[in-house]
Amino acid sequence: MPPTPPAFDPTGPRPAGWETVAVNGFESSASGATAPVGAVRRRAVLDALRRGAVPESGLDLLATGLGRFEQAVDEDLDTVAAGGSVFKAVRGEYGSGKTFFTRWLGERAKRRTFAVAEVQVSETETPLHKLETVYRRLTERLTTASFPPSALRPVTDAWFYALEEDALDDGTGEGELAQAVDRLLTARLAEVSRHAPAFATALRGYKQSLDAGDEATAAAVMAWLGGQPHVAAAARRSAGVRGDLDHFGAFGFLQGLLTVLRDAGHAGLILVLDEVETLQRVRSDARDKALNALRQLIDEVHSGRFPGLYLVITGTPAFYDGQQGVQRLAPLAQRLATDFTTDPRFDNPRAVQIRLPGFTEESLVGLGSTIRDLYAEGSQSPDRIKQLADDAYLTDLARAVGGALGGKVGVAPRLYLKKLVGDVLDRIDQFPDFDPRTHYKLTVGSGDLTATERNFAAPVPAVSADDLDLDL
């Protein structure tokens, strides 16, 4: 049998190689702690920004403006860790930082032993009305502070290790260990088996394959547990299961996964359904099914069926307020209804729907200043970095990027940070005679832009003859 990692005990000493609350894989300090930024962590953040992407880790270094949400988020995490469940809808225009917020939340949660899965909703790859596909993407993207995606198998192995430890603590001898583990498995998954008996059956088959040294069958059964289709029939027969996971079975499998995570030492699961606004672009029949599936999932969360689940969706205001989105299904609109008529300063972070205000020129320059200082920490010439890319230059660059996007500074953060790191700071760092005011002029080509950004950058179409420039 392949070695399994030791079980994680949140109340006891942390065995080597297992989850760490105080520090994650990129040397991220726990909330409230202060520590110097490590070179690996700094490089990971800057490399992502250089590519125009949201960093996977180290987001606490960039989390300007999210302090208002910290208390409410921590309260939610406390609720989930205590066996409750939470649903939250995040709204914001393009460029307001929705993906940044959810990854910041996930990173914060990992420090508290949560597992995290970020699923991109799309019509072709992950249609929301097919929950079996959502579950499959969840297991593919499942990650913890110690394991990258997919962490499903390491988590499952840790769970079996915990069952063995519990059985031994109860006085079970080595000769009776397999039977004792099987009894514990049945007891722990009793509630799950009421809705999805195949989940416990497959876990039992996985363990038997491991004990028999049949790695190929064990891997196939694990794939089936992860919702993968087209698993070999011989492996399914060996585990005592049939067919593929369906829409209704996905709820039971999610429930089972939450049980396994909890018993393996995790506080819960953060599940992010990102870019839900893409539902507005699918066929009306598929859209209606997806909206109803979302309503059903929210109801199951509020009913308490998924203890240990923190479900987050993200979308644009048009999705939440428009007739092609949430408002198309009245029961869903009722569940997400939130008052945003007051001053944004008084938005309630505890509400079911929270609003990200987006960037202003001032906040964008503030973020640029944070990135500049982070870059300077790892530079051989930190004073030169700060002198040539001073706040005045950061302001000019923000205005130039905003101008290239039709004056929409709020949608500029991704491009602004990409240009700042890749075109300005890297050159200052590498070329002693480079001065960005003298030697750099912002250029924005179509290859730099996402489809949405290209829409902002496109010239405004003429609406009358007077708007046309004619060469006479």
Side-chain angles (χ1 to χ4, degrees):
M1 172 179 171
T4 54
F8 176 77
D9 177 6
T11 63
R14 287 158 175 74
W18 191 231
E19 301 289 0
T20 304
V21 179
V23 177
N24 70 15
F26 285 104
E27 310 163 51
S28 175
S29 303
S31 178
T34 58
V37 180
V40 173
R41 188 171 178 230
R42 182 190 303 107
R43 190 179 305 117
V45 171
L46 295 175
D47 283 348
L49 297 178
R50 192 179 286 115
R51 300 192 310 271
V54 175
E56 294 285 346
S57 300
L59 296 179
D60 57 307
L61 302 175
L62 318 178
T64 56
L66 295 184
R68 61 183 301 183
F69 298 109
E70 285 186 0
Q71 181 177 346
V73 163
D74 288 343
E75 290 172 354
D76 287 342
L77 293 175
D78 289 340
T79 296
V80 175
S85 52
V86 169
F87 168 76
K88 188 73 72 174
V90 179
R91 86 188 257 141
E93 296 286 1
Y94 177 84
S96 62
K98 298 186 293 297
T99 299
F100 185 96
F101 175 87
T102 56
R103 290 188 182 171
W104 169 79
L105 167 61
E107 189 173 74
R108 196 175 186 86
K110 282 181 186 178
R111 297 180 196 136
R112 300 178 57 165
T113 73
F114 280 78
V116 178
E118 178 185 315
V119 177
Q120 300 289 327
V121 175
S122 71
E123 180 181 7
T124 55
E125 297 295 325
T126 315
L128 191 55
H129 65 283
K130 294 185 177 181
L131 291 178
E132 67 274 24
T133 304
V134 174
Y135 173 81
R136 182 166 77 246
R137 298 288 180 251
L138 185 167
T139 60
E140 291 171 352
R141 295 291 300 159
L142 186 67
T143 182
T144 69
S146 292
F147 296 105
S150 166
L152 178 61
R153 184 163 183 176
V155 166
T156 303
D157 289 344
W159 182 64
F160 276 114
Y161 184 91
L163 294 184
E164 291 175 352
E165 290 294 296
D166 289 346
L168 292 173
D169 289 345
D170 290 340
T172 302
E174 290 289 344
E176 301 173 336
L177 186 59
Q179 294 84 351
V181 167
D182 188 70
R183 288 193 297 271
L184 284 174
L185 182 153
T186 302
R188 302 280 174 87
L189 296 175
E191 179 63 24
V192 176
S193 296
R194 292 178 53 235
H195 304 283
F199 188 85
T201 301
L203 278 174
R204 191 175 288 111
Y206 169 73
K207 184 66 163 59
Q208 290 170 351
S209 298
L210 283 181
D211 291 344
D214 188 351
E215 170 60 26
T217 298
V221 175
M222 181 55 59
W224 191 87
L225 272 166
Q228 297 294 334
H230 315 306
V231 173
R236 286 186 274 120
R237 282 196 302 272
S238 175
V241 296
R242 295 183 297 177
D244 294 328
L245 181 64
D246 60 18
H247 176 89
F248 299 102
F251 278 134
F253 273 45
L254 175 57
Q255 195 175 356
L257 176 60
L258 291 169
T259 300
V260 169
L261 284 168
R262 183 182 64 246
D263 288 351
H266 295 277
L269 169 67
I270 308 293
L271 172 58
V272 178
L273 301 180
D274 201 11
E275 299 184 358
V276 181
E277 70 268 12
T278 57
L279 295 180
Q280 298 172 102
R281 299 193 290 270
V282 304
R283 296 193 325 269
S284 60
D285 58 336
R287 185 188 314 137
D288 291 342
K289 291 178 182 177
L291 291 172
N292 190 60
L294 180 58
R295 190 271 313 160
Q296 185 181 7
L297 185 55
I298 293 171
D299 285 350
E300 294 285 7
V301 169
H302 290 322
S303 74
R305 181 174 178 181
F306 300 124
L309 178 64
Y310 193 148
L311 175 64
V312 182
I313 68 171
T314 72
T316 59
F319 169 71
Y320 293 111
D321 301 336
Q323 291 303 315
Q324 299 306 313
V326 168
Q327 301 304 315
R328 189 178 177 92
L329 183 64
L332 179 60
Q334 177 189 2
R335 286 156 177 75
L336 298 182
T338 305
D339 180 16
F340 289 115
T341 60
T342 57
D343 189 315
R345 292 180 301 162
F346 306 118
D347 281 359
N348 179 13
R350 296 173 179 169
V352 66
Q353 189 181 152
I354 60 174
R355 170 170 57 181
L356 300 182
F359 281 88
T360 62
E361 181 182 296
E362 180 181 2
S363 60
L364 190 59
V365 172
L367 179 57
S369 175
T370 299
I371 297 301
R372 177 202 59 205
D373 293 346
L374 177 67
Y375 194 108
E377 286 183 29
S379 171
Q380 296 297 319
S381 306
D383 293 339
R384 188 165 175 274
I385 293 282
K386 294 181 179 181
Q387 176 187 358
L388 294 178
D390 58 10
D391 288 354
Y393 178 78
L394 296 180
T395 301
D396 291 342
L397 182 63
R399 290 172 179 168
V401 173
L405 295 178
K408 302 290 186 180
V409 174
V411 302
R414 187 198 70 85
L415 184 61
Y416 173 70
L417 295 178
K418 179 181 179 182
K419 294 294 184 179
L420 175 62
V421 175
D423 290 354
V424 177
L425 298 181
D426 277 346
R427 286 172 169 152
I428 295 175
D429 190 44
Q430 297 176 84
F431 304 107
D433 56 343
F434 176 79
D435 183 335
R437 291 193 178 277
T438 304
H439 303 114
Y440 175 69
K441 180 180 179 181
L442 176 71
T443 58
V444 178
S446 61
D448 288 316
L449 305 177
T450 64
T452 302
E453 288 167 344
R454 280 194 290 272
N455 290 335
F456 285 108
V460 178
V463 295
S464 74
D466 293 335
D467 295 323
L468 295 174
D469 290 325
L470 301 179
D471 186 10
L472 300 176

